[in-house]
Structures are given as C-alpha cells and as structure tokens.
Amino acid sequence: FPHLADHMKRVQEHLAYTRLDILNIWFQQYISETDFHDWHTHSGCNFSCVYYLELKNKNCRPEFMNLDGSVFSLDVEEGDSLYR
C-alpha cells in the first residue's frame, strides 16, 4: 500500500471521489519481454487500474476492449498508470 498511496490520492482527486477504498487487489509481474496476459475481465469490479512499475518491453502497447467490442491500445512508459 505505501507504494500506491500517492497514486490512489491522484486518482481519487481526478475522479472527484470523497473516498477511495481497495477491497481486493492482485498483480501480474512479467519476467521476460515475451511474457503476456491474455484477454480477461474483472468481474464484480467497477474500477480497474494498471500500474507499470517495471516495463521490460519498451514496445508494449496494452489493448483494452470496450463493452461494444471495439479495441483500443495506448502508449505506455515505465511509471505510467492507466485506470478505467
């Protein structure tokens, strides 16, 4: 939690929330540049965040799928965080 506190505060302010609670958390750590994570959902979740603490593959372009099935990708750098 100490590593996420500043980031959580920025997200809370950006979303104009008076309170932000984490009830469940998990992480994925890639060991090599060829590691990947397949399509998945976060059921029972109304907020998802990706924090790129270490980015071994500098050409990484994560893809996200909207509810309508359309896919978009983003440029990311080490230290970036994405939330939706």
Side-chain angles (χ1 to χ4, degrees):
F1 181 79
H3 302 286
L4 295 175
D6 288 339
H7 174 70
M8 288 177 53
K9 183 67 173 168
R10 287 193 305 271
V11 170
Q12 179 181 341
E13 291 170 355
H14 176 76
L15 297 174
Y17 288 172
T18 57
R19 180 177 169 162
L20 181 63
D21 293 323
I22 294 179
L23 303 176
N24 194 357
I25 191 169
W26 64 272
F27 75 94
Q28 179 73 30
Q29 183 175 12
Y30 301 123
I31 305 303
S32 74
E33 290 185 12
T34 58
D35 287 347
F36 70 97
H37 203 80
D38 212 348
W39 288 107
H40 64 281
T41 62
H42 294 247
S43 61
C45 178
N46 57 2
F47 181 81
S48 294
C49 179
V50 180
Y51 177 44
Y52 292 88
L53 181 63
E54 298 173 330
L55 189 59
K56 298 194 182 292
N57 183 347
K58 303 303 181 197
N59 297 316
C60 176
R61 285 189 51 87
E63 293 182 322
F64 299 90
M65 184 179 295
N66 290 311
L67 292 175
D68 65 4
S70 61
V71 176
F72 66 97
S73 62
L74 300 169
D75 292 322
V76 296
E77 297 179 2
E78 197 166 285
D80 283 353
S81 59
L82 309 173
Y83 48 90
R84 188 133 170 105

